[in-house]
Amino acid sequence: MKKPHSSFSQALQRVRKARGITQEDFDLISSRTYISALERGIKQPTLSKVDELAAHIRIHPLTLLTLSYLSKGGANDLAALQARVSEEVLAILAVAPSK
């Protein structure tokens, strides 16, 4: 199986710009320098930071992560990615004991 390739930096920048939010607008959760480093791919966020960033730009964290894993085909690849994730989650839920 091919290793997934993420482009979190591009996804964050794309959503931020689509929402009309500046890097400075993140000042309550992160510095502009940190946001810039994320968008340049110098740093990678923790899951809790992804939650904070997504909440600030008013999207679900999975939306941000989905955009991170879409290949250059963009919308054409979205259905395939969603189908794969759904398939994998359902398979895991079918065998994993619930608590």
Side-chain angles (χ1 to χ4, degrees), residues 25-96:
D25 291 335
F26 286 88
D27 65 344
L28 293 177
I29 61 169
S30 293
S31 69
R32 189 211 55 79
T33 304
Y34 179 71
I35 299 302
S36 176
L38 287 175
E39 289 186 358
R40 289 182 288 137
I42 295 170
K43 295 193 178 212
Q44 294 296 317
T46 62
L47 282 176
S48 61
K49 185 55 77 173
V50 170
D51 282 342
E52 288 179 36
L53 294 168
H56 187 75
I57 53 182
R58 300 174 316 277
I59 62 172
H60 193 284
L62 289 177
T63 303
L64 189 52
L65 292 174
T66 298
L67 288 167
S68 298
Y69 284 95
L70 281 181
S71 64
K72 298 215 186 272
N76 295 333
D77 296 327
L78 180 59
L81 180 58
Q82 289 174 323
R84 177 180 175 182
V85 170
S86 291
E87 210 173 275
E88 291 172 353
V89 168
L90 291 172
I92 290 166
L93 290 175
V95 296

Side-chain angles (χ1 to χ4, degrees), residues 3-21:
K3 183 179 176 186
H5 175 67
S6 167
S7 184
F8 185 84
S9 59
Q10 292 174 350
L12 177 60
Q13 186 177 57
R14 184 176 192 171
V15 174
R16 179 181 63 75
K17 287 180 176 182
R19 294 285 199 217
I21 298 171

